[in-house]
Amino acid sequence: MMRRLLTFALVLGILLMGAAVPALAQDTLKIGAPQPMTGPDAPFGDKFKKAYGMAVEEINAKGGVNGKKIEVIIDDHQAKNAMAATVAEKLITQSKVLVLTGGRASGQAVEIASVAQRLKTPYVVDHPSADIITAKGFEWVFRNNPTGSIYPQAFNKFISEVPGAMPKSAAVVYDNSVFGKTISNSALTFLKSKNVPIVNDEAYPVNSLDFKPVMTKVKSNNPDYLLMVAVATTDAILLTKHAKEIGVAPRAFVGFGGGFGVEDFAKELGPQSQNVFSSAAWSGNPNDPTVKEFYKKFHDKYGIWPKEHEVEGYAIVYVIADAMRRAQLTGNVDADREAIRQALLKTDMTTVFGKLKFGNWAGPLGDPYTNQNIYSPDHSVLAQWLDGKLQNVWPKSNAETSYVFPDNTVKR
Amino acid sequence: MALRARPDPVDTFVQSVVSGVLTGSLYAMIGVGLTVVFGVMRIINLAHGELVMLGMYGAFWAHALWKLDPFVSIALWAPLMFLGGMLVYRLLLRPIIPGGELNTLLYTAGLSLLIANLALFAWTGDYRTIKLPYAITPLRPFGIAVPIPLAIAFALAIVITAALYLFLSRTDPGRAIRATSQNPEAAALMGIDVERISMLTFGLGSALAGAAGVLLAPSLYLYPTVGEILIAKCFVIVVLGGLGSVSGAIAGGVLLGLVESLGAVYVSVAYKDTIGFIMFLLVLLFRPSGLFGVGKS
Amino acid sequence: MTRGSAGAAVLVLVLAPPLLTSNPFLLHLTITVLLWTLLGAAWNLLGGFAGQVSFGHSTFFGVGAYTTMILYLKGGLAPWYGMVLGGMVAVLVSLPIGLICFRLRGPYFSLSTLAVAEIVRLVALNWEGLTNGPVGLLITTLPRVGWGGRTLDWESKAPFYYMIAVLALASMLATYRLSRARLGAYLLAIREDEDAAESVGIDTVRAKVLTLALSAFFTGLGGGFYGLYFRYVDPDAVFPIALSVEMVFIAVVGGLATVIGPVIGAVFLTTIGEMFRERFLVGHLIFYGLFMMLVIRYLPEGIWGGARRAWAKRP
């Protein structure tokens, strides 16, 4: 019995040792990025991998940061919160990364932020949008991209500024995720403040297989505008498809969420994607020549046009590199992390994503942000799918073309 | 702006019912394969969703590479999956069965992980759909929207189910399957090669899963882990109808489709899945052997 | 080798790690292993001994987690008390669940537990007033606690390690005591043939309900610990089907109805999972699935069962 116990303990020890493989000592500046590389979110993890990769290549080709090369270490969190915590801990304590980024989905990002705050490592958020991430007073967490409640700003401006565009009634269909709830909440608050009657307020479970019942319900109320929020691309595609099949006939279809802004949307829906608005697929100002150049470079390298995720991932590496460059790095991991944090507080730069300066301010729904990009309210744009291409249409300063409104593909 | 007429509430109701039945029939197709396998071998195949996924990808690649319409390529994939299923049974499942039902179930869970992630590796996680030129505008009989691929799938599902019925009731192997399903020991005593029937049944279940996938593909979207979502619905259906009963699975599927559709429109979209599960629990409590009463405990 | 000294040896083995290493990630892994041990052992009581295969244990886990978080964030009750209360709420919840599900046998029972778990998850997702819905509940600071004259350092892994170690050991002890008690024998009888057990005069309903309550209690404790350690709870993290299935895996892979099975299952599955993820960024689950299949194929009685068999066969 004793021997069995001892052999068991030995095996246990060896296994645990094997699992916690210490990082090879390398002279690179390490950035950790938990991402979903398996499971339904895998395509997004892949986008970030490509984006980080391109940025790292460029920076290293130009001599790296103060002579040292940078490296992004990606680890799969499988879209599970507990796994995200494990992966973040591993990156921080085993791989000894200086900075964390990534996360992709808000649930995992909140967990990563919690870990980063406790283990005193800067977490520079590139994409996750839950307000709570920068609204809990975490001084180690910074965010470049807009929060969920800011997303609808451009849409709000559109309906306020374009004559006759204020909805006479609105149906809002959103998914039951943090993302869906935050955005719908923000949009609904604004619409209600303008006394727009909300005829449908429907939350659906993420990855629904069938939206025909929802759309039947929506159609029976004949909404003037149909707002759809979807964190998953699959939901975005099916929502639009079923809405059109059932025959919902608003003056405008407006989509909120990553799924409405990816190439797949038009590729899979074809003509059914025509005239659908996509809010907050902010991917840089397409009228800016530097940004256009980036799009082309990315397309040449990977064969796909970068959108929201790719631009955010690419930009964040530059943000981190900039902070690393200004920080006095000594090789002592703890001191370096603090130095980078101090450098981030002083960040004042422009990336292909847009202008960036971290600050403390109050969001549209009153959330107290810390280290949130003060230019975020500008990073909301209303785009529209026209002939298979997503083009910015509002505000005018970011517009690539004029909008089409009311929707002329729908028979009323 | 002129006031638009609101749809007639009767229209809304009919539309709900039609959508529910159409969608439900596809769910039912998925359930039939699972229930047949359970009836004969008492195996709950957790990899069933992945077999459906393989059917979906089969349809996709046949369309992308050879321009074959899915409703045509089904004639290719169903037999292939039949053979594949038999192989899987013979090589992988048969040695596990003596380990007990729980072990077999967990084995299929491991298999499901394996297949889904191999697919992820091979075909990447990118979402795909099958774009059929006739799929864009739905039919509108009496103003009710009926998407064309769904209608065709429904019709084919009826044909396949009818064929299955004939097979099970009129042919020798079919009757042998039913006999084994009712009582394996008695069947063996009657001279039925239970082993061979099991292999045949698993092949049949796989073929049905693959066929369901092909039919479903034009109306849904494809990605490697879509199986896990489908299988959750599948379980509710087969238990509703009675584990082992083909007609039960069909009734269960259509019923679930109807309940979810009407529930979403008239009760609450957020809770529509809950309604389905509550109904499921109620049936389990008051009629545990399922609607058609042939399920065994 | 007396039982007492074996027990002492186990105690030392389990309590030693924080003293042997200060590598936080290694400790994090061990904490994860111990949490899974607790959950696996809890499931094992009902599934291994009584043969009632539940696929809905995430219900109790989530209930424990949310109770702990809500009582702390909205009521100020320290999470270690909340954890115990979480376990008790899980027991309360298990009573109606048992009432409904125990009427069914075999796969029907299993699927009914799954249905219940899904319903609870959807309720948690939509009942925002109570649970904050999909946004979830986040602990930013834990209360200051004194222990032996110093305040506990929540940044260190040690306090969490000892907490979960104690819980895991408690669950193993409970399993041990159960296996020796009459209730244990009743459960095994029920597992073999419930009707026969009834006919012999065993009160199967009472036995099953008691075992479910015990199982739910430990699972709820585990959920409370999860909230305390991982600091963040949302419906998808604590109520998913995958969690229930993982608990089953651990108990089966380790060895059903044994005391040490869950530990072995937890150790193997956690470390194997880590190793594969380390090696293969995208393909690691392929190997994980393969590993599962191989274990069940060649070690149908679990790793402990297989090891015992091999040990018995030695010349």
Side-chain angles (χ1 to χ4, degrees), chain A residues 40 43 202-203 205 207-210 212-214 216-217 219-220 222 224 233-234 238 241 245-246 249 267-268 271-272, chain B residues 4-7 12 15 23 125 127 129 131 136 138 140 145 147 150 218 220-221 223 225 229 261 264-265 269-270 273:
Chain A
E202 314 292 344
N207 282 326
S208 283
L209 298 170
D210 183 17
K212 292 194 283 296
V214 173
T216 307
K217 194 173 181 184
K219 182 176 169 185
S220 70
N222 228 339
D224 189 35
T233 311
T234 49
L238 278 185
K241 188 164 178 210
E245 277 177 2
I246 292 292
K267 219 167 37 138
E268 305 305 339
Q272 282 173 323
Chain B
R4 281 163 272 154
R6 278 174 168 232
T12 306
Q15 177 75 71
T23 314
Y127 309 111
T129 53
K131 289 180 291 294
I136 298 174
R140 290 194 195 274
L150 203 52
L220 196 56
Y221 44 76
Y223 62 91
T225 44
I229 306 181
S261 184
V265 177
V269 176
D273 288 342

Side-chain angles (χ1 to χ4, degrees), chain C residues 118-136:
Chain C
E118 275 295 282
I119 293 174
V120 173
R121 184 181 69 85
L122 287 166
V123 168
L125 192 61
N126 289 301
W127 191 357
E128 284 182 64
L130 183 67
T131 63
N132 234 10
V135 177

Side-chain angles (χ1 to χ4, degrees), chain C residues 131-144:
Chain C
T131 63
N132 234 10
V135 177
L137 299 165
L138 175 67
I139 292 181
T140 46
T141 43
L142 287 167
R144 296 181 69 80

Side-chain angles (χ1 to χ4, degrees), chain A residues 81, chain C residues 55-67 70 93 97 113-126 130-131 133 226 233-245:
Chain A
N81 295 3
Chain C
F55 276 109
H57 260 55
S58 58
T59 310
F60 309 120
F61 185 79
V63 163
Y66 269 103
T67 307
I70 293 173
V93 167
I97 292 179
T113 58
L114 190 92
V116 169
E118 275 295 282
I119 293 174
V120 173
R121 184 181 69 85
L122 287 166
V123 168
L125 192 61
N126 289 301
L130 183 67
T131 63
Y226 175 89
V233 167
D234 71 24
D236 282 327
V238 297
F239 285 120
I241 300 180
L243 188 95
S244 305
V245 175

Side-chain angles (χ1 to χ4, degrees), chain B residues 68-89:
Chain B
L68 270 177
D69 186 296
F71 301 117
V72 168
S73 68
I74 192 174
L76 165 67
W77 297 117
L80 264 178
M81 302 243 358
F82 178 73
L83 293 170
M86 289 208 292
L87 265 172
V88 166
Y89 177 79

Side-chain angles (χ1 to χ4, degrees), chain B residues 25-114:
Chain B
S25 67
L26 284 186
Y27 291 161
M29 272 293 292
I30 302 177
V32 168
L34 190 72
T35 210
V36 157
V37 167
F38 184 84
V40 169
M41 294 177 276
R42 309 263 314 163
I43 295 176
I44 296 182
N45 178 13
L46 284 180
H48 193 74
E50 274 60 43
L51 294 174
V52 177
M53 181 269 293
L54 286 177
M56 293 172 82
Y57 270 93
F60 175 80
W61 289 118
H63 184 252
L65 299 173
W66 307 319
K67 304 278 186 287
L68 270 177
D69 186 296
F71 301 117
V72 168
S73 68
I74 192 174
L76 165 67
W77 297 117
L80 264 178
M81 302 243 358
F82 178 73
L83 293 170
M86 289 208 292
L87 265 172
V88 166
Y89 177 79
R90 187 77 177 66
L91 297 175
L92 294 178
L93 278 178
R94 208 170 61 158
I96 304 292
I97 294 180
E101 278 177 23
L102 181 58
N103 273 13
T104 316
L105 183 134
L106 290 179
Y107 187 80
T108 59
L111 183 63
S112 131
L113 261 181
L114 180 67

